Amino acid sequence: MALVCVQNAGRSQMAAAFAERERDRRDAGDQIEIVSGGTRPADHVHGVVVEAMREVDIDLGDREPREVTPEELQSVDLVITMGCSASDVCPATWNGENRDWDLDDPHGRPLAEVREIRDEIEERVGALFDEQLSALAATE
């Protein structure tokens, strides 16, 4: 799965961190690949996002936004955009399904609002793992 937004400095960073934690908790490392990136990456992860994630014992302080490549998007079965345009990376080249989570951008928002966005992302990632692992089990 690819978790994509424009800057890769907020929503997609939180989603990737929750997905990595979920993958570890469910021992699904050999079943689910996680790619995260942006179409126009920022210089750093937003400070308020780092702060909000520390509250749930996830440290994003050492992460750097990165650009997602068309090749990466071709290699996954599911591309999730965070409510922002990924038009810089042509969806026609995406290999699998695309979903948009339509999340508010945490950049410039107060910590209380970022917590709400964080919690929504965590809930969506958990549901996504339920769905994806159920689908994988059904094909075995």
Side-chain angles (χ1 to χ4, degrees):
M1 76 179 63
L3 304 158
V4 179
C5 66
V6 174
Q7 294 186 328
N8 190 227
R11 295 164 287 192
S12 59
Q13 288 283 351
M14 289 190 280
F18 283 127
E20 291 161 0
R21 185 176 73 180
E22 204 61 33
R23 181 179 62 189
D24 291 346
R25 284 182 176 170
R26 297 179 189 226
D27 195 28
D30 59 337
Q31 297 173 291
I32 296 182
E33 176 188 3
I34 300 163
V35 174
S36 178
T39 57
R40 290 187 304 277
D43 294 330
H44 60 277
V45 176
H46 303 308
V48 69
V49 169
V50 173
E51 184 178 354
M53 291 300 283
R54 279 191 182 130
E55 294 177 351
V56 294
D57 297 321
I58 295 176
D59 186 4
L60 299 182
D62 63 345
R63 297 212 183 179
E64 293 183 19
R66 60 177 294 278
E67 186 172 358
V68 66
T69 68
E71 294 79 21
E72 287 173 319
L73 296 177
Q74 290 172 0
S75 72
V76 297
D77 294 327
L78 177 61
V79 176
I80 298 175
T81 53
M82 302 287 125
C84 48
S85 173
S87 61
D88 292 359
V89 182
C90 179
T93 65
W94 297 355
N95 180 46
E97 180 185 355
N98 173 240
R99 298 181 194 173
D100 186 76
W101 281 358
D102 195 25
L103 298 162
D104 290 330
D105 187 351
H107 184 64
R109 294 186 184 257
L111 182 58
E113 290 181 24
V114 176
R115 287 180 182 129
E116 291 175 13
I117 296 165
R118 174 201 66 202
D119 294 347
E120 182 177 354
I121 291 170
E122 183 177 23
E123 184 177 309
R124 286 176 181 248
V125 166
L128 179 64
F129 267 75
D130 289 343
E131 173 194 322
Q132 294 293 304
L133 291 174
S134 291
L136 287 170
T139 62
E140 292 179 357

